[in-house]
């Protein structure tokens, strides 16, 4: 795979953000994917995700997400890099650091510079919340079961730290071929 410098920088930004947010869960082996592995038409895909407390939960993304709320600037940059920014219905927790995507991030529908409220996220009617795992607490944006009972799947970024690559991340969000 030919990796562009932008993708490498973005991957490093995600890794740095995960280190800075103080993720307390020990590193786990790569989660098993139980959907078809082909980039096109690979839904449903089932992933074992880990919340901020280290508790394993299963998330099944039934179809290609069409309405995504993204919590974290580095995650928004990844979605843009994959050419999927048209699916973003809201962003939050923007650190406003240097970004090669600054002009495009400014055009995204901003919920909040900080962590948005559960109500503000719900107003966007997402089918997927892509977030930094530290936000998945009852006193922040809510825990995974809170979202699942409302028909919203959650993919915490911590699941992209061990044994996963940028292609698998892109495939989780799109039924299209990834760049």
């Amino acid at each position: 795979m030919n990796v562009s410098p932008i993708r490498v920088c973005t991957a490093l930004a995600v890794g740095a953000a995960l280190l800075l947010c103080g993720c307390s869960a020990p590193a786990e082996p790569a989660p098993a994917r139980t959907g078809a592995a082909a980039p096109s038409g690979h839904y449903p895909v089932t992933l074992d995700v880990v919340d901020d407390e280290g508790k394993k939960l299963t998330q099944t993304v039934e179809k290609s997400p069409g309405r995504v709320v993204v919590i974290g600037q580095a995650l928004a940059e990844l979605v843009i890099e994959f050419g999927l920014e048209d699916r973003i219905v809201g962003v939050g927790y923007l650190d406003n650091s240097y970004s090669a995507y600054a002009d495009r991030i400014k055009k995204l529908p901003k919920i909040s510079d900080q962590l948005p409220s559960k109500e503000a996220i719900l107003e966007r009617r997402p089918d997927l919340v892509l977030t930094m795992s530290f936000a998945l607490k009852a006193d922040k944006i809510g825990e995974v079961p809170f979202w699942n009972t409302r028909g919203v799947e959650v993919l915490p970024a911590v699941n992209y730290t061990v044994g996963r690559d940028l292609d698998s991340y892109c495939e989780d969000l799109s039924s299209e071929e990834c760049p």
Side-chain angles (χ1 to χ4, degrees):
M1 178 174 100
N2 186 9
V3 179
S4 73
I6 292 174
R7 288 179 83 173
V8 171
C9 290
T10 305
L12 292 173
V14 169
L18 289 171
L19 289 173
L20 292 174
C21 78
C23 298
S24 60
E28 297 280 337
R33 293 183 68 172
T34 55
S40 179
H42 70 279
Y43 293 95
V45 63
T46 299
L47 299 168
D48 290 327
V49 299
V50 180
D51 69 9
D52 196 48
E53 302 297 320
K55 182 170 53 171
K56 288 184 183 179
L57 301 163
T58 299
Q59 294 293 278
T60 299
V61 180
E62 296 292 337
K63 61 183 172 121
S64 183
R67 299 184 60 80
V68 180
V69 167
V70 180
I71 309 298
Q73 181 166 323
L75 294 173
E77 290 171 351
L78 282 175
V79 176
I80 291 169
E81 170 68 17
F82 296 140
L84 302 170
E85 67 195 275
D86 61 325
R87 297 176 190 212
I88 297 175
V89 296
V91 293
Y93 201 70
L94 302 174
D95 61 22
N96 297 313
S97 61
Y98 168 78
S99 174
Y101 301 103
D103 291 339
R104 292 164 76 178
I105 288 173
K106 286 178 187 174
K107 294 176 184 174
L108 295 174
K110 184 172 21 171
I111 302 172
S112 172
D113 282 328
Q114 300 302 312
L115 289 177
S117 69
K118 295 171 196 150
E119 296 78 14
I121 295 170
L122 285 167
E123 286 177 4
R124 304 299 173 126
R125 299 182 340 259
D127 49 21
L128 179 76
V129 174
L130 177 61
T131 182
M132 305 302 288
S133 64
F134 82 92
L136 293 172
K137 294 186 178 182
D139 65 337
K140 294 188 177 165
I141 71 163
E143 297 168 311
V144 173
F146 171 87
W147 294 104
N148 290 171
T149 60
R150 288 156 178 80
V152 179
E153 299 302 330
V154 177
L155 292 180
V158 72
N159 294 292
Y160 299 99
T161 58
V162 178
R164 307 236 330 140
D165 61 17
L166 291 173
D167 289 330
S168 59
Y169 176 80
C170 179
E171 289 170 9
D172 292 344
L173 293 172
S174 173
S175 61
E176 308 292 321
E177 187 170 329
C178 297

